[in-house]
Amino acid sequence: MNCNHYIPLIGLFIACSAGPLYAAPPAANDEGVTVTPVQAVLNTQAETAAQRDARMKWWREAKFGMFIHWGIYSVLAGSYQDKTSYGEWVMQQARIPVDEYRRFGQKFNPVKYDPAEWVRIAQGAGMRYMVITSKHHDGFALFPSTVSNWNVAEATPYKKDLLGPLVGAAHDAGLKIGFYYSQSQDWNNRGGAKKGYADGEGWDPAHRGSYDNYINDIAVPQVRELLTRYPIDILWWDTPMFMTPERVEPFLALKKLRPGLISNNRLGGGPSDMATPEQYVPITGRKGDWETCMTMNGHWGYNAYDTNWKSTTDLIHTLAETCSRGGNLLLNVGPTAEGKIPTESVERLHEIGRWIQINGDSIYGTTAGPFTYLAWGCATRKGDTLYLHVFNWPANGRLVVPLNNKVKSAYLLAAPKQKLKVTSTHGKLVVELPVTPPDAFDSVVAMQIQDEPIVEPLPSASATVKASSTLNGTDASYVNDGTEDKLWRAPAEIKVAFLDIELKQATAIGGFGIAEPDVWPRMNQVYTLEYLDATGWHKVAEGRTIGHGVKRPIPVITAKKFRLTMECNAGSPGVAEFQLYGI
């Protein structure tokens, strides 16, 4: 799992015929509880919209989940040969031979693993589902597998199933749970894909071999094991290298063994249930169902040297912003080799949970808010109620909401009995707030309105956009169409290009947003934003991206013409969406 290694494949859909039924013998988990395998008739009929809505209902309402990256890499704790920047990709990044890496299995003995405690931590944070790595790219299975001895029962002193107890504990607590499974990359089992190597190749002869044999002999049988042994709710694929319609088909057939299963868009083809932006929140959200996955520091797997922890404030703001654009947040923890979730993660999750206890109505079951940008925060929605997440408390006690609706009531979730005064002026609402915010992280105002929200469109939505140069198949007009589906890009030989944006009239602008093309390798671009007045062009903002775009305020300026210059050394410059925000 790493944003720099995710290869999105867009627009590949294939039909799947029913395969043979599979009925494995009952298996006992490590606590002696017999798990009856699933036996289901594969349904080849197309799912109706109503059936899909019913299947996705719990996930859409849950909004917040825990991602767990755990495996042999936790033994190294981020360090290998005096370097301390590794995570779950250590085997590939350091080119560790198979035999050497497998020896670390003898040091993986998670005697402090308490699945009930993990569930309590997740539930205490307000999370409503969990997703754990059943097998990451290093090929190590956290469950007893009959198709590869590179698993917890045979390759470690622990010798017990890690997944079954967590599934049971989660379901006992009322949480949904799913498995991440690396279907394509596998650096141990022979033939699995390796980033940077051709099909069948690798850095060690011990893992070179036929990719098709790997798919048929390891990946497909292991997914069958997971779906027939464990009553999971989600299957989370990753990095679909070398996947083709023919290689995808058996996985699609296996998904039918678990009715109601939800899966993401990283299998490599076929229908999926959700998009998965990684480590960022898209400025336009995504069409349909989507889920941002994010780390708390700079690594997915446990790294004892990475102290660059996101603050609780940042994490709560990310949760609110994700929900305000219609998505879910899957927030990661990387347990130690002993089976403990790091203290820094637990502390932040505890603080998030305390916030959610008061403000959960503004998260669970919400949909995207009506605002593209709010200088003071963001907003979620539930029916006729808008939840205004105020990150930046107004010093004058007056919260300006760019909304032209009648208000039935307004109150703070932290003080629901205290009604707030709301007035209307110049087509905007003004909420009178207390001098002191009730919450240091995010204070939420619940506002019940009449009718559908009446919001002014973005100043840039109707702007005329021209580019200094354009790659065939792309167009400058795509950057202000309100989505990130289409893009503008300069020709391949161009390293610096610009967009000229002309508004219908001079407008006061207080912020901007850039969404970048969702491509691999991730675009690393330098941007400069300028505006034109009678004396010429003036710089108002500059910075660097890492492929996730940027959204930021600027000193308020009034202008009609703007220029966005993009410089990209790894490929040609590109923009999927550009937005200017009024005040």
Side-chain angles (χ1 to χ4, degrees), residues 348-411:
R348 284 157 177 77
L349 291 173
H350 178 67
E351 290 177 320
I352 293 171
R354 288 170 54 190
W355 179 85
I356 280 187
Q357 283 182 348
I358 296 172
N359 300 289
D361 283 349
S362 69
I363 298 295
Y364 304 127
T366 60
T367 57
F371 310 105
T372 303
Y373 176 79
L374 293 168
W376 42 259
C378 64
T380 56
R381 181 182 181 184
K382 194 180 297 179
D384 63 356
T385 300
L386 302 181
Y387 296 98
L388 312 177
H389 293 258
V390 187
F391 304 158
N392 305 312
W393 199 255
N396 62 3
R398 294 167 58 85
L399 184 71
V400 179
V401 185
L403 192 68
N404 192 16
N405 287 73
K406 290 184 178 180
V407 177
K408 298 178 184 179
S409 68
Y411 56 89

Side-chain angles (χ1 to χ4, degrees), residues 225-244:
E225 287 178 326
L226 293 173
L227 293 180
T228 55
R229 292 181 188 174
Y230 305 99
I232 59 173
D233 308 291
I234 300 169
L235 193 52
W236 219 98
W237 314 106
D238 202 14
T239 60
M241 296 175 62
F242 309 141
M243 296 299 285
T244 63

Side-chain angles (χ1 to χ4, degrees), residues 244-289:
T244 63
E246 293 75 21
R247 290 164 173 168
V248 163
E249 186 171 355
F251 293 105
L252 292 178
L254 287 174
K255 283 171 56 180
K256 304 288 181 65
L257 293 171
R258 179 63 58 189
L261 190 72
I262 292 172
S263 62
N264 69 347
N265 64 338
R266 300 191 183 189
L267 176 58
S272 64
D273 296 312
M274 57 177 165
T276 51
E278 185 170 325
Q279 297 284 36
Y280 72 105
V281 182
I283 67 170
T284 63
R286 287 283 189 268
K287 290 182 179 178
D289 298 301

Side-chain angles (χ1 to χ4, degrees), residues 43 54 68 91 101 119 149 154 195 364 488 544 564:
N43 180 11
I68 304 168
M91 183 182 179
Y101 190 79
V119 170
N149 62 8
E154 297 179 75
K195 176 183 175 291
Y364 304 127
W488 159 79
R544 181 182 294 274
L564 178 67

